[in-house]
Amino acid sequence: MRKLFTLVLMAVLAAMPSMMQAQVKFGVKAGLNVTQMSLSQDVVSKSNQEGFFVGPTVKVTLPLVGLGVDASALYDQRDAKVNEDKVSQRSINIPVNLRYGVGLGSLASVYLAAGPQFGFNIGQKNFGEDGLKFKDSNFSVNVGAGVSLINHVEVGFTYNIAVGKTGELSWEDGAKINARANSWQVSAAYYF
């Protein structure tokens, strides 16, 4: 046990100089999303939720072989039609992604990213006569890729996979259907 502790301590101390050179950039991220709400089609008709997101972002790049982390606090708005009711979901989403990038010279790089996203519903939670109710919070996983250009502009594509139910549709007779919301996202970010 003592040897393991000593080994870990030596590895951390050896990595300290490179970690102190980590590059931190702040910016703004915005984009569009299309969400597929999973409900039973024979019970309820609905359309895809289309929407947008915007908010501050931070990117930390470690000088270790292209590794980094990014995190954002995004205002997210999605609209859909369930039966004849318009449904608008508004939330604050906080994605935290581990990144791996490969440089293509000084002008561009390509990256892969994955990580958890925490969502908090800040809008209306109950909709329509049928009783569609969104949860107060949700958890999902992001998987994506993108391109960084001239160290300031970033364009990315992400697939967000809901873990657990996003909401619930219930009727007066007590019948319930769980709803899950997976989404495709296209984003652009500008780092200062």
Side-chain angles (χ1 to χ4, degrees):
M1 184 70 169
R2 190 180 298 178
K3 288 181 182 180
L4 178 63
F5 177 74
T6 304
L7 200 61
V8 169
L9 182 60
M10 288 177 62
V12 168
L13 289 174
M16 283 294 244
S18 64
M19 286 186 181
M20 294 173 95
Q21 296 173 5
Q23 187 176 22
V24 179
K25 290 187 172 186
F26 295 94
V28 177
K29 181 184 275 191
L32 302 172
N33 56 38
V34 176
T35 303
Q36 174 65 40
M37 182 74 90
S38 300
L39 295 166
S40 177
Q41 290 293 334
D42 58 335
V43 177
V44 63
S45 64
K46 53 93 183 109
S47 64
N48 285 338
Q49 294 185 38
E50 299 169 353
F52 69 92
F53 55 92
V54 63
T57 186
V58 63
K59 176 172 65 170
V60 179
T61 305
L62 300 174
L64 303 171
V65 200
L67 289 178
V69 176
D70 70 51
S72 302
L74 304 171
Y75 170 78
D76 188 295
Q77 178 177 320
R78 303 172 190 190
D79 296 324
K81 195 169 187 180
V82 177
N83 287 338
E84 298 303 316
D85 298 320
K86 181 180 178 185
V87 176
S88 293
Q89 183 182 21
R90 288 162 177 67
S91 58
I92 299 295
N93 290 331
I94 303 171
V96 179
N97 295 310
L98 180 63
R99 301 166 56 110
Y100 177 72
V102 176
L104 304 172
S106 62
L107 294 179
S109 66
V110 176
Y111 70 88
L112 299 173
Q117 176 171 292
F118 308 94
F120 303 96
N121 193 347
I122 59 170
Q124 185 176 352
K125 295 175 181 72
N126 300 312
F127 295 92
E129 298 173 13
D130 289 330
L132 175 61
K133 181 179 181 185
F134 287 114
K135 291 178 61 178
D136 291 334
S137 64
N138 60 63
F139 177 74
S140 55
V141 175
N142 291 320
V143 177
V147 177
S148 295
L149 304 169
I150 41 181
N151 285 331
H152 292 285
V153 178
E154 205 167 82
V155 178
F157 300 93
T158 306
Y159 187 62
N160 182 267
I161 306 161
V163 177
K165 67 181 181 178
T166 307
E168 186 174 78
L169 187 60
S170 59
W171 287 269
E172 292 176 2
D173 65 0
K176 294 182 180 183
I177 298 175
N178 291 333
R180 291 174 46 125
N182 297 335
S183 64
W184 284 102
Q185 299 176 328
V186 178
S187 66
Y190 182 81
Y191 291 97
F192 306 104

PDB file of all heavy atoms in Angstrom, residues 100-128:
ATOM      1  N   TYR A 100     -10.587  14.819 -26.502  1.00  0.00           N
ATOM      2  CA  TYR A 100      -9.314  14.405 -27.065  1.00  0.00           C
ATOM      3  C   TYR A 100      -9.211  15.046 -28.438  1.00  0.00           C
ATOM      4  O   TYR A 100     -10.069  14.838 -29.286  1.00  0.00           O
ATOM      5  CB  TYR A 100      -9.218  12.882 -27.185  1.00  0.00           C
ATOM      6  CG  TYR A 100      -7.926  12.440 -27.827  1.00  0.00           C
ATOM      7  CD1 TYR A 100      -6.731  12.535 -27.137  1.00  0.00           C
ATOM      8  CD2 TYR A 100      -7.909  11.979 -29.130  1.00  0.00           C
ATOM      9  CE1 TYR A 100      -5.537  12.158 -27.724  1.00  0.00           C
ATOM     10  CE2 TYR A 100      -6.714  11.595 -29.734  1.00  0.00           C
ATOM     11  CZ  TYR A 100      -5.535  11.692 -29.016  1.00  0.00           C
ATOM     12  OH  TYR A 100      -4.359  11.333 -29.602  1.00  0.00           O
ATOM     13  N   GLY A 101      -8.175  15.838 -28.641  1.00  0.00           N
ATOM     14  CA  GLY A 101      -8.024  16.558 -29.902  1.00  0.00           C
ATOM     15  C   GLY A 101      -6.743  16.206 -30.628  1.00  0.00           C
ATOM     16  O   GLY A 101      -5.733  15.861 -30.018  1.00  0.00           O
ATOM     17  N   VAL A 102      -6.814  16.311 -31.947  1.00  0.00           N
ATOM     18  CA  VAL A 102      -5.658  16.079 -32.803  1.00  0.00           C
ATOM     19  C   VAL A 102      -5.482  17.319 -33.667  1.00  0.00           C
ATOM     20  O   VAL A 102      -6.413  17.711 -34.390  1.00  0.00           O
ATOM     21  CB  VAL A 102      -5.866  14.836 -33.702  1.00  0.00           C
ATOM     22  CG1 VAL A 102      -4.706  14.661 -34.652  1.00  0.00           C
ATOM     23  CG2 VAL A 102      -6.074  13.597 -32.858  1.00  0.00           C
ATOM     24  N   GLY A 103      -4.321  17.944 -33.592  1.00  0.00           N
ATOM     25  CA  GLY A 103      -4.059  19.155 -34.347  1.00  0.00           C
ATOM     26  C   GLY A 103      -3.790  18.883 -35.814  1.00  0.00           C
ATOM     27  O   GLY A 103      -3.186  17.885 -36.179  1.00  0.00           O
ATOM     28  N   LEU A 104      -4.295  19.781 -36.645  1.00  0.00           N
ATOM     29  CA  LEU A 104      -4.063  19.717 -38.086  1.00  0.00           C
ATOM     30  C   LEU A 104      -3.272  20.951 -38.509  1.00  0.00           C
ATOM     31  O   LEU A 104      -3.657  21.690 -39.381  1.00  0.00           O
ATOM     32  CB  LEU A 104      -5.395  19.659 -38.838  1.00  0.00           C
ATOM     33  CG  LEU A 104      -6.345  18.533 -38.458  1.00  0.00           C
ATOM     34  CD1 LEU A 104      -7.686  18.704 -39.135  1.00  0.00           C
ATOM     35  CD2 LEU A 104      -5.734  17.198 -38.823  1.00  0.00           C
ATOM     36  N   GLY A 105      -2.200  21.202 -37.821  1.00  0.00           N
ATOM     37  CA  GLY A 105      -1.435  22.422 -38.054  1.00  0.00           C
ATOM     38  C   GLY A 105      -1.860  23.490 -37.066  1.00  0.00           C
ATOM     39  O   GLY A 105      -2.605  23.248 -36.134  1.00  0.00           O
ATOM     40  N   SER A 106      -1.425  24.717 -37.272  1.00  0.00           N
ATOM     41  CA  SER A 106      -1.740  25.790 -36.329  1.00  0.00           C
ATOM     42  C   SER A 106      -3.120  26.398 -36.555  1.00  0.00           C
ATOM     43  O   SER A 106      -3.606  27.148 -35.722  1.00  0.00           O
ATOM     44  CB  SER A 106      -0.680  26.889 -36.438  1.00  0.00           C
ATOM     45  OG  SER A 106      -0.703  27.437 -37.754  1.00  0.00           O
ATOM     46  N   LEU A 107      -3.769  26.067 -37.658  1.00  0.00           N
ATOM     47  CA  LEU A 107      -5.062  26.675 -37.960  1.00  0.00           C
ATOM     48  C   LEU A 107      -6.269  25.862 -37.518  1.00  0.00           C
ATOM     49  O   LEU A 107      -7.333  26.418 -37.309  1.00  0.00           O
ATOM     50  CB  LEU A 107      -5.176  26.944 -39.465  1.00  0.00           C
ATOM     51  CG  LEU A 107      -4.216  27.974 -40.028  1.00  0.00           C
ATOM     52  CD1 LEU A 107      -4.421  28.105 -41.525  1.00  0.00           C
ATOM     53  CD2 LEU A 107      -4.408  29.308 -39.337  1.00  0.00           C
ATOM     54  N   ALA A 108      -6.134  24.546 -37.383  1.00  0.00           N
ATOM     55  CA  ALA A 108      -7.314  23.738 -37.085  1.00  0.00           C
ATOM     56  C   ALA A 108      -6.943  22.493 -36.286  1.00  0.00           C
ATOM     57  O   ALA A 108      -5.805  22.048 -36.286  1.00  0.00           O
ATOM     58  CB  ALA A 108      -7.999  23.322 -38.387  1.00  0.00           C
ATOM     59  N   SER A 109      -7.948  21.944 -35.613  1.00  0.00           N
ATOM     60  CA  SER A 109      -7.815  20.654 -34.936  1.00  0.00           C
ATOM     61  C   SER A 109      -9.178  19.981 -34.908  1.00  0.00           C
ATOM     62  O   SER A 109     -10.212  20.636 -35.000  1.00  0.00           O
ATOM     63  CB  SER A 109      -7.262  20.823 -33.518  1.00  0.00           C
ATOM     64  OG  SER A 109      -8.182  21.502 -32.711  1.00  0.00           O
ATOM     65  N   VAL A 110      -9.158  18.673 -34.799  1.00  0.00           N
ATOM     66  CA  VAL A 110     -10.369  17.867 -34.725  1.00  0.00           C
ATOM     67  C   VAL A 110     -10.428  17.275 -33.327  1.00  0.00           C
ATOM     68  O   VAL A 110      -9.401  16.879 -32.775  1.00  0.00           O
ATOM     69  CB  VAL A 110     -10.333  16.736 -35.781  1.00  0.00           C
ATOM     70  CG1 VAL A 110     -11.535  15.841 -35.665  1.00  0.00           C
ATOM     71  CG2 VAL A 110     -10.230  17.319 -37.180  1.00  0.00           C
ATOM     72  N   TYR A 111     -11.623  17.207 -32.727  1.00  0.00           N
ATOM     73  CA  TYR A 111     -11.736  16.651 -31.384  1.00  0.00           C
ATOM     74  C   TYR A 111     -12.905  15.681 -31.275  1.00  0.00           C
ATOM     75  O   TYR A 111     -13.875  15.756 -32.028  1.00  0.00           O
ATOM     76  CB  TYR A 111     -11.870  17.766 -30.342  1.00  0.00           C
ATOM     77  CG  TYR A 111     -13.189  18.499 -30.385  1.00  0.00           C
ATOM     78  CD1 TYR A 111     -14.290  18.048 -29.658  1.00  0.00           C
ATOM     79  CD2 TYR A 111     -13.344  19.650 -31.147  1.00  0.00           C
ATOM     80  CE1 TYR A 111     -15.497  18.723 -29.699  1.00  0.00           C
ATOM     81  CE2 TYR A 111     -14.535  20.332 -31.194  1.00  0.00           C
ATOM     82  CZ  TYR A 111     -15.616  19.850 -30.464  1.00  0.00           C
ATOM     83  OH  TYR A 111     -16.808  20.512 -30.517  1.00  0.00           O
ATOM     84  N   LEU A 112     -12.780  14.778 -30.319  1.00  0.00           N
ATOM     85  CA  LEU A 112     -13.858  13.884 -29.888  1.00  0.00           C
ATOM     86  C   LEU A 112     -14.156  14.237 -28.441  1.00  0.00           C
ATOM     87  O   LEU A 112     -13.243  14.558 -27.677  1.00  0.00           O
ATOM     88  CB  LEU A 112     -13.423  12.420 -29.982  1.00  0.00           C
ATOM     89  CG  LEU A 112     -13.049  11.904 -31.356  1.00  0.00           C
ATOM     90  CD1 LEU A 112     -12.482  10.490 -31.248  1.00  0.00           C
ATOM     91  CD2 LEU A 112     -14.257  11.913 -32.274  1.00  0.00           C
ATOM     92  N   ALA A 113     -15.432  14.165 -28.050  1.00  0.00           N
ATOM     93  CA  ALA A 113     -15.801  14.529 -26.682  1.00  0.00           C
ATOM     94  C   ALA A 113     -16.902  13.609 -26.175  1.00  0.00           C
ATOM     95  O   ALA A 113     -17.742  13.147 -26.947  1.00  0.00           O
ATOM     96  CB  ALA A 113     -16.274  15.985 -26.634  1.00  0.00           C
ATOM     97  N   ALA A 114     -16.886  13.356 -24.884  1.00  0.00           N
ATOM     98  CA  ALA A 114     -17.928  12.556 -24.250  1.00  0.00           C
ATOM     99  C   ALA A 114     -17.984  12.912 -22.775  1.00  0.00           C
ATOM    100  O   ALA A 114     -16.968  13.258 -22.167  1.00  0.00           O
ATOM    101  CB  ALA A 114     -17.652  11.071 -24.422  1.00  0.00           C
ATOM    102  N   GLY A 115     -19.184  12.829 -22.206  1.00  0.00           N
ATOM    103  CA  GLY A 115     -19.316  13.113 -20.786  1.00  0.00           C
ATOM    104  C   GLY A 115     -20.758  13.261 -20.356  1.00  0.00           C
ATOM    105  O   GLY A 115     -21.684  13.198 -21.166  1.00  0.00           O
ATOM    106  N   PRO A 116     -20.968  13.482 -19.065  1.00  0.00           N
ATOM    107  CA  PRO A 116     -22.318  13.615 -18.521  1.00  0.00           C
ATOM    108  C   PRO A 116     -22.895  15.008 -18.745  1.00  0.00           C
ATOM    109  O   PRO A 116     -22.164  15.975 -18.958  1.00  0.00           O
ATOM    110  CB  PRO A 116     -22.106  13.354 -17.030  1.00  0.00           C
ATOM    111  CG  PRO A 116     -20.731  13.864 -16.774  1.00  0.00           C
ATOM    112  CD  PRO A 116     -19.946  13.530 -18.022  1.00  0.00           C
ATOM    113  N   GLN A 117     -24.225  15.079 -18.706  1.00  0.00           N
ATOM    114  CA  GLN A 117     -24.926  16.365 -18.752  1.00  0.00           C
ATOM    115  C   GLN A 117     -26.008  16.348 -17.684  1.00  0.00           C
ATOM    116  O   GLN A 117     -26.771  15.393 -17.580  1.00  0.00           O
ATOM    117  CB  GLN A 117     -25.549  16.599 -20.122  1.00  0.00           C
ATOM    118  CG  GLN A 117     -26.363  17.883 -20.179  1.00  0.00           C
ATOM    119  CD  GLN A 117     -26.790  18.209 -21.579  1.00  0.00           C
ATOM    120  OE1 GLN A 117     -25.971  18.526 -22.423  1.00  0.00           O
ATOM    121  NE2 GLN A 117     -28.089  18.138 -21.842  1.00  0.00           N
ATOM    122  N   PHE A 118     -26.069  17.408 -16.905  1.00  0.00           N
ATOM    123  CA  PHE A 118     -27.059  17.555 -15.850  1.00  0.00           C
ATOM    124  C   PHE A 118     -28.044  18.630 -16.275  1.00  0.00           C
ATOM    125  O   PHE A 118     -27.636  19.734 -16.638  1.00  0.00           O
ATOM    126  CB  PHE A 118     -26.370  17.937 -14.538  1.00  0.00           C
ATOM    127  CG  PHE A 118     -25.245  17.007 -14.170  1.00  0.00           C
ATOM    128  CD1 PHE A 118     -23.941  17.301 -14.533  1.00  0.00           C
ATOM    129  CD2 PHE A 118     -25.499  15.820 -13.517  1.00  0.00           C
ATOM    130  CE1 PHE A 118     -22.898  16.441 -14.224  1.00  0.00           C
ATOM    131  CE2 PHE A 118     -24.470  14.946 -13.204  1.00  0.00           C
ATOM    132  CZ  PHE A 118     -23.166  15.263 -13.563  1.00  0.00           C
ATOM    133  N   GLY A 119     -29.341  18.316 -16.259  1.00  0.00           N
ATOM    134  CA  GLY A 119     -30.364  19.268 -16.685  1.00  0.00           C
ATOM    135  C   GLY A 119     -31.322  19.604 -15.563  1.00  0.00           C
ATOM    136  O   GLY A 119     -31.714  18.729 -14.782  1.00  0.00           O
ATOM    137  N   PHE A 120     -31.699  20.880 -15.483  1.00  0.00           N
ATOM    138  CA  PHE A 120     -32.616  21.356 -14.452  1.00  0.00           C
ATOM    139  C   PHE A 120     -33.754  22.121 -15.123  1.00  0.00           C
ATOM    140  O   PHE A 120     -33.517  23.145 -15.768  1.00  0.00           O
ATOM    141  CB  PHE A 120     -31.871  22.252 -13.455  1.00  0.00           C
ATOM    142  CG  PHE A 120     -30.696  21.553 -12.827  1.00  0.00           C
ATOM    143  CD1 PHE A 120     -29.425  21.723 -13.348  1.00  0.00           C
ATOM    144  CD2 PHE A 120     -30.876  20.713 -11.746  1.00  0.00           C
ATOM    145  CE1 PHE A 120     -28.333  21.069 -12.794  1.00  0.00           C
ATOM    146  CE2 PHE A 120     -29.795  20.046 -11.183  1.00  0.00           C
ATOM    147  CZ  PHE A 120     -28.519  20.226 -11.715  1.00  0.00           C
ATOM    148  N   ASN A 121     -34.979  21.637 -14.971  1.00  0.00           N
ATOM    149  CA  ASN A 121     -36.149  22.238 -15.593  1.00  0.00           C
ATOM    150  C   ASN A 121     -36.475  23.558 -14.895  1.00  0.00           C
ATOM    151  O   ASN A 121     -36.697  23.592 -13.690  1.00  0.00           O
ATOM    152  CB  ASN A 121     -37.332  21.268 -15.485  1.00  0.00           C
ATOM    153  CG  ASN A 121     -38.485  21.672 -16.354  1.00  0.00           C
ATOM    154  OD1 ASN A 121     -38.538  22.783 -16.863  1.00  0.00           O
ATOM    155  ND2 ASN A 121     -39.426  20.765 -16.525  1.00  0.00           N
ATOM    156  N   ILE A 122     -36.502  24.652 -15.665  1.00  0.00           N
ATOM    157  CA  ILE A 122     -36.818  25.960 -15.081  1.00  0.00           C
ATOM    158  C   ILE A 122     -38.118  26.523 -15.649  1.00  0.00           C
ATOM    159  O   ILE A 122     -38.539  27.606 -15.278  1.00  0.00           O
ATOM    160  CB  ILE A 122     -35.675  26.975 -15.308  1.00  0.00           C
ATOM    161  CG1 ILE A 122     -35.397  27.171 -16.801  1.00  0.00           C
ATOM    162  CG2 ILE A 122     -34.438  26.552 -14.558  1.00  0.00           C
ATOM    163  CD1 ILE A 122     -34.469  28.310 -17.108  1.00  0.00           C
ATOM    164  N   GLY A 123     -38.753  25.790 -16.547  1.00  0.00           N
ATOM    165  CA  GLY A 123     -39.997  26.242 -17.156  1.00  0.00           C
ATOM    166  C   GLY A 123     -41.189  25.499 -16.599  1.00  0.00           C
ATOM    167  O   GLY A 123     -41.126  24.852 -15.551  1.00  0.00           O
ATOM    168  N   GLN A 124     -42.271  25.576 -17.330  1.00  0.00           N
ATOM    169  CA  GLN A 124     -43.496  24.886 -16.956  1.00  0.00           C
ATOM    170  C   GLN A 124     -43.246  23.380 -16.971  1.00  0.00           C
ATOM    171  O   GLN A 124     -42.561  22.857 -17.844  1.00  0.00           O
ATOM    172  CB  GLN A 124     -44.602  25.248 -17.944  1.00  0.00           C
ATOM    173  CG  GLN A 124     -45.945  24.696 -17.593  1.00  0.00           C
ATOM    174  CD  GLN A 124     -47.006  25.185 -18.583  1.00  0.00           C
ATOM    175  OE1 GLN A 124     -46.751  26.044 -19.418  1.00  0.00           O
ATOM    176  NE2 GLN A 124     -48.195  24.620 -18.481  1.00  0.00           N
ATOM    177  N   LYS A 125     -43.820  22.676 -16.001  1.00  0.00           N
ATOM    178  CA  LYS A 125     -43.583  21.236 -15.903  1.00  0.00           C
ATOM    179  C   LYS A 125     -44.788  20.409 -16.337  1.00  0.00           C
ATOM    180  O   LYS A 125     -44.640  19.259 -16.732  1.00  0.00           O
ATOM    181  CB  LYS A 125     -43.191  20.876 -14.478  1.00  0.00           C
ATOM    182  CG  LYS A 125     -41.860  21.483 -14.082  1.00  0.00           C
ATOM    183  CD  LYS A 125     -41.528  21.234 -12.634  1.00  0.00           C
ATOM    184  CE  LYS A 125     -40.232  21.845 -12.232  1.00  0.00           C
ATOM    185  NZ  LYS A 125     -40.203  23.274 -12.120  1.00  0.00           N
ATOM    186  N   ASN A 126     -45.989  20.962 -16.255  1.00  0.00           N
ATOM    187  CA  ASN A 126     -47.211  20.229 -16.587  1.00  0.00           C
ATOM    188  C   ASN A 126     -47.862  20.830 -17.823  1.00  0.00           C
ATOM    189  O   ASN A 126     -47.986  22.042 -17.941  1.00  0.00           O
ATOM    190  CB  ASN A 126     -48.206  20.278 -15.430  1.00  0.00           C
ATOM    191  CG  ASN A 126     -47.638  19.661 -14.178  1.00  0.00           C
ATOM    192  OD1 ASN A 126     -47.085  18.577 -14.211  1.00  0.00           O
ATOM    193  ND2 ASN A 126     -47.757  20.363 -13.060  1.00  0.00           N
ATOM    194  N   PHE A 127     -48.336  19.937 -18.755  1.00  0.00           N
ATOM    195  CA  PHE A 127     -48.927  20.400 -20.004  1.00  0.00           C
ATOM    196  C   PHE A 127     -50.188  19.615 -20.328  1.00  0.00           C
ATOM    197  O   PHE A 127     -50.223  18.398 -20.158  1.00  0.00           O
ATOM    198  CB  PHE A 127     -47.947  20.234 -21.165  1.00  0.00           C
ATOM    199  CG  PHE A 127     -46.734  21.097 -21.041  1.00  0.00           C
ATOM    200  CD1 PHE A 127     -45.602  20.622 -20.419  1.00  0.00           C
ATOM    201  CD2 PHE A 127     -46.743  22.384 -21.533  1.00  0.00           C
ATOM    202  CE1 PHE A 127     -44.480  21.417 -20.294  1.00  0.00           C
ATOM    203  CE2 PHE A 127     -45.627  23.185 -21.421  1.00  0.00           C
ATOM    204  CZ  PHE A 127     -44.499  22.704 -20.804  1.00  0.00           C
ATOM    205  N   GLY A 128     -51.173  20.327 -20.869  1.00  0.00           N
ATOM    206  CA  GLY A 128     -52.334  19.708 -21.495  1.00  0.00           C
ATOM    207  C   GLY A 128     -53.250  18.930 -20.575  1.00  0.00           C
ATOM    208  O   GLY A 128     -52.983  18.710 -19.404  1.00  0.00           O
TER     209      GLY A 128
END
